[in-house]
Amino acid sequence: MPVTDDLALLTDAALEAGKIATRYFRTTAHRWDKPGGQGPVTEADLEVDLMLRKELTAARPGYGWLSEETEDTPDRLQAEHVFIVDPIDGTRSFIEGSTTWAHSLAIARDGRVQAAVVYLPLRDKLYAAALGHGATLNDAPLTVSPRDQIEGATVLAARPNLDPSRWLNADVPPITRKFRSSLAYRMSLVGEGRFDAMMSLHPTWEWDVAAGSLIVEEAGGTVSDRTNQSPRFNNPTPRLSGMIAGGRFIHDALMSRLA
């Protein structure tokens, strides 16, 4: 199956997901907290998840399925291709009425993402990438920031990432920290070149970063976990050892300073 066909499938599904989620946005949608401190979920998350699983697996019956809102099963590990989906990335943002939540959809083959879409319906922003075909925002090509000095670089990260204990000799890099609640959106903004890098130094769920990782790479950026290994997806435990993404210079400058 050509990766461009898979990308078209993800794009159509993301647009449909946006229609569903938007119906619930800023309404009295039912919400509750998932067990184990895993954060909130809403009926919008579940309806989007149900639609995506039905439509995507019907179109690609041989593909495995991994989603934040579907109980995981080991059968995906036997599949050559797997969907990796976050129905609504940034659910807290969605609940609070912010517009920075996103639908994050990816297809990985043998551990590597082949096609990816991150869609923000309330901002009319559709990021897309196919392996070897570049990355786009609303069909316009993307390129990461060319910045070649760490001083003053804008990095999307949660505040705990800049705790001195995380850095060699407690030497926090001289960056300007910014924040967006959705990891998928953070990575897409890096792919867009609006920010120089993003980082998440704690264990990171695959569905939060699979789509964004390809968008950054296809925009010319570098992506790794916090041990500087290229991420592999569809792992038995679907978590990665953090995520650092950006233009090569800024990515490498951050990596060289990590404790």
Side-chain angles (χ1 to χ4, degrees):
M1 181 70 63
V3 293
T4 51
D5 288 358
D6 277 347
L7 179 58
L9 175 67
L10 294 183
T11 299
D12 290 343
L15 293 172
E16 185 62 28
K19 294 176 184 176
I20 294 172
T22 300
R23 291 203 306 267
Y24 286 99
F25 185 61
R26 293 177 179 166
T27 70
T28 56
H30 183 57
R31 60 146 293 183
W32 58 97
D33 290 319
K34 290 185 281 190
Q38 296 184 58
V41 65
T42 73
E43 55 187 321
D45 295 81
L46 299 188
E47 186 173 338
V48 169
D49 185 66
L50 184 63
M51 180 279 294
L52 290 174
R53 186 176 188 185
K54 178 182 177 181
E55 298 297 327
L56 293 175
T57 59
R60 302 286 189 272
Y63 288 20
W65 181 259
L66 174 63
S67 167
E68 180 176 11
E69 308 304 346
T70 303
E71 184 176 357
D72 193 16
T73 58
D75 56 315
R76 65 177 170 82
L77 300 174
Q78 309 306 316
E80 182 180 30
H81 293 80
V82 61
F83 292 106
I84 304 176
V85 170
D86 194 342
I88 298 180
D89 187 38
T91 297
R92 286 188 178 88
S93 174
F94 181 86
I95 292 168
E96 293 166 359
S98 174
T99 60
T100 57
W101 48 274
H103 307 294
S104 180
L105 287 65
I107 293 172
R109 178 184 180 187
D110 294 332
R112 185 171 187 188
V113 179
Q114 308 286 302
V117 170
V118 174
Y119 178 45
L120 286 79
L122 271 297
R123 297 200 166 199
D124 191 29
K125 301 182 80 169
L126 193 148
Y127 298 90
L131 186 64
H133 293 266
T136 59
L137 168 58
N138 297 345
D139 295 324
L142 295 182
T143 304
V144 296
S145 164
R147 188 180 183 87
D148 62 359
Q149 57 182 5
I150 191 67
E151 291 78 12
T154 56
V155 179
L156 290 160
R159 191 178 303 277
N161 290 282
L162 296 187
D163 186 283
S165 65
R166 296 184 177 273
W167 302 92
L168 287 173
N169 303 316
D171 185 16
V172 179
I175 62 174
T176 299
R177 186 186 72 86
K178 301 291 184 178
F179 184 74
R180 299 293 187 276
S181 60
S182 163
L183 274 170
Y185 188 31
R186 289 183 221 171
M187 298 195 76
S188 299
L189 286 166
V190 172
E192 189 181 348
R194 287 183 55 192
F195 295 89
D196 299 310
M198 63 76 62
M199 60 183 178
S200 179
L201 300 181
H202 62 274
T204 305
W205 294 109
E206 290 186 17
W207 49 72
D208 288 327
V209 295
S213 69
L214 184 65
I215 290 167
V216 173
E217 289 176 340
E218 287 295 316
T222 302
V223 177
S224 75
D225 65 16
R226 62 165 298 153
T227 68
N228 210 17
Q229 299 299 306
S230 296
R232 301 288 294 180
F233 294 91
N234 196 28
N235 298 291
T237 299
R239 299 188 91 174
L240 303 173
S241 180
M243 180 65 55
I244 297 92
R248 175 166 292 280
F249 181 92
I250 301 300
H251 171 275
D252 291 354
L254 291 170
M255 288 301 312
S256 70
R257 289 165 165 78
L258 280 176

